[in-house]
Amino acid sequence: MVAACGSSDLDGGASCGEIADEAIGAIQDFVDEVSAMSVDEIFAAGQEVPGTADFQARGDELQEEANDAGCSDSEMQSLLNARVGSLESDSEFGQLIIDGIQQEGFFGE
């Protein structure tokens, strides 16, 4: 989803830390959307869970922003991992998403 970096872009673009903050916000929005669904709604949706396409599109945008800002993948991964503890959910399914991110990291290695 997102690559990694250090400082702010001289053209006024977002810093790598700001991009990581935006990524965590996008993940939290997706978790919130899924958390609002019942178990029956989630199972009925199958592969088409509402919000998934928007979440993936936002991830692509953030990846491009990170690339443009000169963020390296490893640095971005570190920034994202440092922020994962701020994710919250009041549903079991949302918590499963968060647990998976905490255990496996963001977007694979």
Side-chain angles (χ1 to χ4, degrees):
M1 173 170 167
V2 205
C5 87
S7 62
S8 195
D9 186 334
L10 295 176
D11 294 337
S15 72
C16 299
E18 290 169 333
I19 295 167
D21 289 340
E22 288 184 47
I24 290 296
I27 293 166
Q28 184 65 61
D29 290 346
F30 180 65
V31 167
D32 291 345
E33 190 167 349
V34 170
S35 293
M37 298 174 67
S38 72
V39 173
D40 291 337
E41 290 173 319
I42 292 168
F43 285 124
Q47 297 289 332
E48 302 299 321
V49 174
T52 301
D54 291 339
F55 175 65
Q56 290 173 337
R58 183 64 183 135
D60 292 343
E61 291 171 5
L62 290 169
Q63 178 68 59
E64 189 172 320
E65 284 183 40
N67 292 343
D68 290 347
C71 304
S72 73
D73 289 343
S74 62
E75 194 171 353
M76 202 66 202
Q77 188 73 33
S78 177
L79 289 168
L80 291 169
N81 288 340
R83 289 161 170 76
V84 73
S86 68
L87 295 172
E88 300 177 345
S89 176
D90 58 0
S91 79
E92 288 183 34
F93 192 71
Q95 191 59 49
L96 284 173
I97 294 170
I98 293 170
D99 290 347
I101 290 170
Q102 288 174 325
Q103 292 173 8
E104 298 180 26
F106 287 90
F107 322 113
E109 298 262 339

